[in-house]
Amino acid sequence: MILVSAVIVAAGNSTRMGMNKLYLKIGGIPAVVRSLLAFEAAPSVSETVVVSKPDDLEQYRLWREEYALKKLRAVVPGGETRQQSVLAGIAAASPESGYFAIHDGARPFIDPHDIERVIRDAERYGAATLGAPVKDTIKVVSEEGLIEYTPERSRLFITQTPQVFRRSVYLEGVEAAQKDGIEFTDDCQLVEHAGRRVYMTAGDYRNIKLTTKDDIAVADAFAKGE
């Protein structure tokens, strides 16, 4: 069986939220713990690594015991950028890992079934990400605020996480980015920059990212419906 390591990125500053969104309790459970529990329930995931702010490391150790996070291999401090944080998580993963499933800790409603599906697609294509088709018409606008063109909606997706990569594919992307001196905030872009293609696995609209305070009400509504 190929070992899959999930890297949960939870080192952000929650600037737009105005609070530590990862600690936010949704249905009585901290948001980031919900994410971890989903990976606990995904059979293909062998271990999880959390990339956290240095001040939060002890809290994760407490949560490990409270919520029986048996797959939690390590909690490590993040870097100055997202790319550096992901690399810190990968460095703490098992050297036997064949795939990395990189997930935003602020996406508490990821479904274990969807984790399994995107892993299967990554095994087939080398790289895959969850995403959902856009519902609205999208406009590309000029710097002057004028509409330039309207892309075909049927081909547009909202990119989500986890984004899953074969080890060699991801490390190839890292090498290319470092060579060119580029820092990416999206891991798909990282491997795309190296000339790799990423498969889009259709996901669930519930897999929202907690970004602004408006998202709290949506998350609470989802939790009440469970």
Side-chain angles (χ1 to χ4, degrees), residues 146-175:
L146 299 172
I147 294 174
E148 293 186 336
Y149 66 94
T150 305
E152 174 58 43
R153 184 171 61 185
S154 63
R155 300 185 63 188
L156 299 178
F157 280 72
I158 302 167
T159 307
Q160 302 173 341
T161 64
Q163 299 180 354
V164 186
F165 308 94
R166 187 177 296 133
R167 172 187 281 272
S168 60
V169 170
Y170 193 79
L171 295 182
E172 181 182 334
V174 170
E175 182 179 359

mmCIF file of all heavy atoms in Angstrom, residues 146-175:
data_model
loop_
_atom_site.group_PDB
_atom_site.id
_atom_site.type_symbol
_atom_site.label_atom_id
_atom_site.label_comp_id
_atom_site.label_asym_id
_atom_site.label_seq_id
_atom_site.Cartn_x
_atom_site.Cartn_y
_atom_site.Cartn_z
ATOM 1 N N LEU A 146 -13.239 47.946 -16.807
ATOM 2 C CA LEU A 146 -14.085 47.594 -17.945
ATOM 3 C C LEU A 146 -14.011 46.092 -18.220
ATOM 4 O O LEU A 146 -12.939 45.483 -18.140
ATOM 5 C CB LEU A 146 -13.638 48.372 -19.194
ATOM 6 C CG LEU A 146 -13.719 49.899 -19.079
ATOM 7 C CD1 LEU A 146 -13.070 50.549 -20.293
ATOM 8 C CD2 LEU A 146 -15.175 50.337 -18.960
ATOM 9 N N ILE A 147 -15.156 45.507 -18.527
ATOM 10 C CA ILE A 147 -15.197 44.085 -18.842
ATOM 11 C C ILE A 147 -14.460 43.829 -20.150
ATOM 12 O O ILE A 147 -14.736 44.470 -21.166
ATOM 13 C CB ILE A 147 -16.651 43.586 -18.932
ATOM 14 C CG1 ILE A 147 -17.329 43.678 -17.561
ATOM 15 C CG2 ILE A 147 -16.689 42.146 -19.457
ATOM 16 C CD1 ILE A 147 -18.806 43.351 -17.587
ATOM 17 N N GLU A 148 -13.533 42.893 -20.114
ATOM 18 C CA GLU A 148 -12.766 42.554 -21.306
ATOM 19 C C GLU A 148 -13.365 41.351 -22.032
ATOM 20 O O GLU A 148 -13.485 41.358 -23.255
ATOM 21 C CB GLU A 148 -11.308 42.284 -20.942
ATOM 22 C CG GLU A 148 -10.573 43.532 -20.449
ATOM 23 C CD GLU A 148 -9.097 43.273 -20.237
ATOM 24 O OE1 GLU A 148 -8.712 42.100 -20.020
ATOM 25 O OE2 GLU A 148 -8.322 44.248 -20.283
ATOM 26 N N TYR A 149 -13.730 40.313 -21.275
ATOM 27 C CA TYR A 149 -14.382 39.168 -21.898
ATOM 28 C C TYR A 149 -15.020 38.294 -20.823
ATOM 29 O O TYR A 149 -14.757 38.455 -19.627
ATOM 30 C CB TYR A 149 -13.403 38.344 -22.749
ATOM 31 C CG TYR A 149 -12.313 37.649 -21.980
ATOM 32 C CD1 TYR A 149 -12.457 36.324 -21.551
ATOM 33 C CD2 TYR A 149 -11.107 38.293 -21.702
ATOM 34 C CE1 TYR A 149 -11.452 35.678 -20.857
ATOM 35 C CE2 TYR A 149 -10.079 37.655 -21.018
ATOM 36 C CZ TYR A 149 -10.266 36.352 -20.601
ATOM 37 O OH TYR A 149 -9.262 35.717 -19.912
ATOM 38 N N THR A 150 -15.862 37.372 -21.286
ATOM 39 C CA THR A 150 -16.577 36.461 -20.400
ATOM 40 C C THR A 150 -16.144 35.032 -20.701
ATOM 41 O O THR A 150 -16.468 34.499 -21.760
ATOM 42 C CB THR A 150 -18.099 36.589 -20.601
ATOM 43 O OG1 THR A 150 -18.484 37.952 -20.431
ATOM 44 C CG2 THR A 150 -18.851 35.713 -19.609
ATOM 45 N N PRO A 151 -15.388 34.403 -19.792
ATOM 46 C CA PRO A 151 -14.958 33.026 -20.046
ATOM 47 C C PRO A 151 -16.138 32.056 -19.979
ATOM 48 O O PRO A 151 -17.147 32.331 -19.313
ATOM 49 C CB PRO A 151 -13.959 32.754 -18.925
ATOM 50 C CG PRO A 151 -14.314 33.710 -17.844
ATOM 51 C CD PRO A 151 -14.866 34.926 -18.522
ATOM 52 N N GLU A 152 -16.011 30.929 -20.638
ATOM 53 C CA GLU A 152 -17.053 29.913 -20.662
ATOM 54 C C GLU A 152 -17.210 29.304 -19.269
ATOM 55 O O GLU A 152 -16.285 28.689 -18.741
ATOM 56 C CB GLU A 152 -16.693 28.819 -21.683
ATOM 57 C CG GLU A 152 -17.642 27.627 -21.698
ATOM 58 C CD GLU A 152 -19.077 28.022 -21.972
ATOM 59 O OE1 GLU A 152 -19.295 28.860 -22.864
ATOM 60 O OE2 GLU A 152 -19.972 27.507 -21.278
ATOM 61 N N ARG A 153 -18.390 29.492 -18.673
ATOM 62 C CA ARG A 153 -18.613 29.080 -17.292
ATOM 63 C C ARG A 153 -18.444 27.584 -17.086
ATOM 64 O O ARG A 153 -17.966 27.144 -16.029
ATOM 65 C CB ARG A 153 -20.015 29.518 -16.845
ATOM 66 C CG ARG A 153 -20.311 29.207 -15.386
ATOM 67 C CD ARG A 153 -21.604 29.851 -14.933
ATOM 68 N NE ARG A 153 -22.746 29.373 -15.684
ATOM 69 C CZ ARG A 153 -23.982 29.848 -15.546
ATOM 70 N NH1 ARG A 153 -24.209 30.835 -14.707
ATOM 71 N NH2 ARG A 153 -24.975 29.351 -16.256
ATOM 72 N N SER A 154 -18.782 26.781 -18.060
ATOM 73 C CA SER A 154 -18.731 25.327 -17.884
ATOM 74 C C SER A 154 -17.308 24.816 -17.667
ATOM 75 O O SER A 154 -17.115 23.692 -17.208
ATOM 76 C CB SER A 154 -19.339 24.630 -19.105
ATOM 77 O OG SER A 154 -18.583 24.908 -20.272
ATOM 78 N N ARG A 155 -16.313 25.651 -17.960
ATOM 79 C CA ARG A 155 -14.924 25.233 -17.812
ATOM 80 C C ARG A 155 -14.250 25.849 -16.584
ATOM 81 O O ARG A 155 -13.051 25.668 -16.383
ATOM 82 C CB ARG A 155 -14.132 25.597 -19.078
ATOM 83 C CG ARG A 155 -14.659 24.930 -20.348
ATOM 84 C CD ARG A 155 -13.782 25.233 -21.526
ATOM 85 N NE ARG A 155 -12.428 24.698 -21.338
ATOM 86 C CZ ARG A 155 -11.418 24.958 -22.174
ATOM 87 N NH1 ARG A 155 -11.606 25.743 -23.220
ATOM 88 N NH2 ARG A 155 -10.223 24.440 -21.940
ATOM 89 N N LEU A 156 -15.016 26.562 -15.780
ATOM 90 C CA LEU A 156 -14.454 27.252 -14.622
ATOM 91 C C LEU A 156 -14.779 26.501 -13.334
ATOM 92 O O LEU A 156 -15.928 26.109 -13.102
ATOM 93 C CB LEU A 156 -14.992 28.686 -14.531
ATOM 94 C CG LEU A 156 -14.675 29.592 -15.722
ATOM 95 C CD1 LEU A 156 -15.309 30.966 -15.513
ATOM 96 C CD2 LEU A 156 -13.174 29.736 -15.925
ATOM 97 N N PHE A 157 -13.781 26.343 -12.481
ATOM 98 C CA PHE A 157 -13.941 25.668 -11.201
ATOM 99 C C PHE A 157 -13.340 26.509 -10.084
ATOM 100 O O PHE A 157 -12.338 27.190 -10.278
ATOM 101 C CB PHE A 157 -13.232 24.301 -11.208
ATOM 102 C CG PHE A 157 -14.003 23.209 -11.878
ATOM 103 C CD1 PHE A 157 -14.157 23.192 -13.256
ATOM 104 C CD2 PHE A 157 -14.583 22.194 -11.134
ATOM 105 C CE1 PHE A 157 -14.862 22.186 -13.882
ATOM 106 C CE2 PHE A 157 -15.300 21.178 -11.747
ATOM 107 C CZ PHE A 157 -15.443 21.177 -13.123
ATOM 108 N N ILE A 158 -13.981 26.447 -8.907
ATOM 109 C CA ILE A 158 -13.411 27.022 -7.696
ATOM 110 C C ILE A 158 -12.452 25.983 -7.123
ATOM 111 O O ILE A 158 -12.866 24.876 -6.768
ATOM 112 C CB ILE A 158 -14.505 27.344 -6.670
ATOM 113 C CG1 ILE A 158 -15.533 28.311 -7.257
ATOM 114 C CG2 ILE A 158 -13.901 27.916 -5.390
ATOM 115 C CD1 ILE A 158 -16.794 28.430 -6.432
ATOM 116 N N THR A 159 -11.191 26.309 -7.045
ATOM 117 C CA THR A 159 -10.214 25.341 -6.552
ATOM 118 C C THR A 159 -10.302 25.200 -5.039
ATOM 119 O O THR A 159 -10.373 26.189 -4.317
ATOM 120 C CB THR A 159 -8.792 25.764 -6.948
ATOM 121 O OG1 THR A 159 -8.756 25.994 -8.354
ATOM 122 C CG2 THR A 159 -7.794 24.674 -6.595
ATOM 123 N N GLN A 160 -10.313 23.968 -4.567
ATOM 124 C CA GLN A 160 -10.385 23.672 -3.143
ATOM 125 C C GLN A 160 -9.140 22.874 -2.730
ATOM 126 O O GLN A 160 -8.171 22.777 -3.484
ATOM 127 C CB GLN A 160 -11.664 22.873 -2.843
ATOM 128 C CG GLN A 160 -12.951 23.561 -3.255
ATOM 129 C CD GLN A 160 -14.172 22.656 -3.087
ATOM 130 O OE1 GLN A 160 -14.061 21.431 -2.994
ATOM 131 N NE2 GLN A 160 -15.342 23.260 -3.040
ATOM 132 N N THR A 161 -9.181 22.344 -1.542
ATOM 133 C CA THR A 161 -8.167 21.390 -1.090
ATOM 134 C C THR A 161 -8.917 20.224 -0.434
ATOM 135 O O THR A 161 -10.083 20.388 -0.056
ATOM 136 C CB THR A 161 -7.188 22.020 -0.057
ATOM 137 O OG1 THR A 161 -7.892 22.382 1.134
ATOM 138 C CG2 THR A 161 -6.488 23.227 -0.645
ATOM 139 N N PRO A 162 -8.286 19.038 -0.323
ATOM 140 C CA PRO A 162 -6.868 18.805 -0.533
ATOM 141 C C PRO A 162 -6.457 18.790 -2.000
ATOM 142 O O PRO A 162 -7.245 18.464 -2.880
ATOM 143 C CB PRO A 162 -6.624 17.442 0.108
ATOM 144 C CG PRO A 162 -7.954 16.752 0.021
ATOM 145 C CD PRO A 162 -8.964 17.839 0.202
ATOM 146 N N GLN A 163 -5.188 19.162 -2.188
ATOM 147 C CA GLN A 163 -4.523 19.016 -3.464
ATOM 148 C C GLN A 163 -3.485 17.914 -3.258
ATOM 149 O O GLN A 163 -2.661 18.000 -2.350
ATOM 150 C CB GLN A 163 -3.876 20.340 -3.882
ATOM 151 C CG GLN A 163 -4.922 21.444 -4.048
ATOM 152 C CD GLN A 163 -4.334 22.779 -4.456
ATOM 153 O OE1 GLN A 163 -3.122 22.957 -4.519
ATOM 154 N NE2 GLN A 163 -5.208 23.746 -4.734
ATOM 155 N N VAL A 164 -3.558 16.888 -4.083
ATOM 156 C CA VAL A 164 -2.772 15.676 -3.847
ATOM 157 C C VAL A 164 -1.756 15.479 -4.972
ATOM 158 O O VAL A 164 -2.107 15.578 -6.152
ATOM 159 C CB VAL A 164 -3.682 14.443 -3.732
ATOM 160 C CG1 VAL A 164 -2.868 13.211 -3.338
ATOM 161 C CG2 VAL A 164 -4.797 14.689 -2.713
ATOM 162 N N PHE A 165 -0.506 15.192 -4.578
ATOM 163 C CA PHE A 165 0.569 15.072 -5.557
ATOM 164 C C PHE A 165 1.438 13.855 -5.278
ATOM 165 O O PHE A 165 1.748 13.558 -4.118
ATOM 166 C CB PHE A 165 1.466 16.320 -5.514
ATOM 167 C CG PHE A 165 0.705 17.608 -5.641
ATOM 168 C CD1 PHE A 165 0.309 18.293 -4.498
ATOM 169 C CD2 PHE A 165 0.375 18.122 -6.880
ATOM 170 C CE1 PHE A 165 -0.409 19.478 -4.602
ATOM 171 C CE2 PHE A 165 -0.344 19.303 -6.990
ATOM 172 C CZ PHE A 165 -0.742 19.983 -5.852
ATOM 173 N N ARG A 166 1.823 13.179 -6.346
ATOM 174 C CA ARG A 166 2.862 12.162 -6.215
ATOM 175 C C ARG A 166 4.137 12.859 -5.735
ATOM 176 O O ARG A 166 4.432 13.983 -6.126
ATOM 177 C CB ARG A 166 3.095 11.480 -7.556
ATOM 178 C CG ARG A 166 4.030 10.279 -7.502
ATOM 179 C CD ARG A 166 4.137 9.616 -8.868
ATOM 180 N NE ARG A 166 2.855 9.061 -9.298
ATOM 181 C CZ ARG A 166 2.340 9.236 -10.507
ATOM 182 N NH1 ARG A 166 2.969 9.961 -11.406
ATOM 183 N NH2 ARG A 166 1.173 8.683 -10.813
ATOM 184 N N ARG A 167 4.862 12.219 -4.850
ATOM 185 C CA ARG A 167 6.051 12.844 -4.258
ATOM 186 C C ARG A 167 6.970 13.447 -5.313
ATOM 187 O O ARG A 167 7.386 14.612 -5.208
ATOM 188 C CB ARG A 167 6.823 11.816 -3.428
ATOM 189 C CG ARG A 167 8.179 12.316 -2.941
ATOM 190 C CD ARG A 167 8.976 11.208 -2.277
ATOM 191 N NE ARG A 167 8.531 10.977 -0.911
ATOM 192 C CZ ARG A 167 9.004 11.628 0.151
ATOM 193 N NH1 ARG A 167 9.928 12.562 -0.002
ATOM 194 N NH2 ARG A 167 8.559 11.348 1.347
ATOM 195 N N SER A 168 7.302 12.681 -6.334
ATOM 196 C CA SER A 168 8.246 13.146 -7.345
ATOM 197 C C SER A 168 7.720 14.366 -8.092
ATOM 198 O O SER A 168 8.487 15.274 -8.443
ATOM 199 C CB SER A 168 8.562 12.020 -8.335
ATOM 200 O OG SER A 168 7.390 11.571 -8.985
ATOM 201 N N VAL A 169 6.404 14.402 -8.323
ATOM 202 C CA VAL A 169 5.797 15.529 -9.033
ATOM 203 C C VAL A 169 5.901 16.800 -8.197
ATOM 204 O O VAL A 169 6.272 17.869 -8.703
ATOM 205 C CB VAL A 169 4.324 15.221 -9.372
ATOM 206 C CG1 VAL A 169 3.619 16.467 -9.896
ATOM 207 C CG2 VAL A 169 4.239 14.097 -10.390
ATOM 208 N N TYR A 170 5.594 16.668 -6.903
ATOM 209 C CA TYR A 170 5.632 17.861 -6.055
ATOM 210 C C TYR A 170 7.061 18.380 -5.899
ATOM 211 O O TYR A 170 7.312 19.586 -5.997
ATOM 212 C CB TYR A 170 5.028 17.582 -4.679
ATOM 213 C CG TYR A 170 4.784 18.863 -3.912
ATOM 214 C CD1 TYR A 170 3.666 19.644 -4.186
ATOM 215 C CD2 TYR A 170 5.680 19.315 -2.951
ATOM 216 C CE1 TYR A 170 3.443 20.832 -3.530
ATOM 217 C CE2 TYR A 170 5.469 20.500 -2.286
ATOM 218 C CZ TYR A 170 4.346 21.256 -2.576
ATOM 219 O OH TYR A 170 4.139 22.443 -1.935
ATOM 220 N N LEU A 171 7.989 17.491 -5.671
ATOM 221 C CA LEU A 171 9.376 17.918 -5.478
ATOM 222 C C LEU A 171 9.951 18.523 -6.755
ATOM 223 O O LEU A 171 10.783 19.442 -6.709
ATOM 224 C CB LEU A 171 10.225 16.751 -4.998
ATOM 225 C CG LEU A 171 9.848 16.212 -3.613
ATOM 226 C CD1 LEU A 171 10.783 15.079 -3.206
ATOM 227 C CD2 LEU A 171 9.867 17.317 -2.558
ATOM 228 N N GLU A 172 9.495 18.040 -7.903
ATOM 229 C CA GLU A 172 9.894 18.644 -9.174
ATOM 230 C C GLU A 172 9.391 20.087 -9.247
ATOM 231 O O GLU A 172 10.105 20.988 -9.699
ATOM 232 C CB GLU A 172 9.314 17.829 -10.331
ATOM 233 C CG GLU A 172 9.676 18.330 -11.717
ATOM 234 C CD GLU A 172 9.022 17.510 -12.816
ATOM 235 O OE1 GLU A 172 8.717 16.324 -12.560
ATOM 236 O OE2 GLU A 172 8.813 18.049 -13.920
ATOM 237 N N GLY A 173 8.160 20.309 -8.782
ATOM 238 C CA GLY A 173 7.608 21.660 -8.761
ATOM 239 C C GLY A 173 8.375 22.573 -7.825
ATOM 240 O O GLY A 173 8.631 23.742 -8.138
ATOM 241 N N VAL A 174 8.745 22.051 -6.669
ATOM 242 C CA VAL A 174 9.517 22.832 -5.704
ATOM 243 C C VAL A 174 10.856 23.237 -6.290
ATOM 244 O O VAL A 174 11.295 24.393 -6.175
ATOM 245 C CB VAL A 174 9.724 22.026 -4.401
ATOM 246 C CG1 VAL A 174 10.723 22.727 -3.492
ATOM 247 C CG2 VAL A 174 8.405 21.826 -3.679
ATOM 248 N N GLU A 175 11.511 22.295 -6.937
ATOM 249 C CA GLU A 175 12.826 22.576 -7.534
ATOM 250 C C GLU A 175 12.726 23.684 -8.579
ATOM 251 O O GLU A 175 13.561 24.597 -8.616
ATOM 252 C CB GLU A 175 13.394 21.308 -8.162
ATOM 253 C CG GLU A 175 14.778 21.490 -8.757
ATOM 254 C CD GLU A 175 15.338 20.212 -9.352
ATOM 255 O OE1 GLU A 175 14.642 19.174 -9.277
ATOM 256 O OE2 GLU A 175 16.460 20.233 -9.885
#
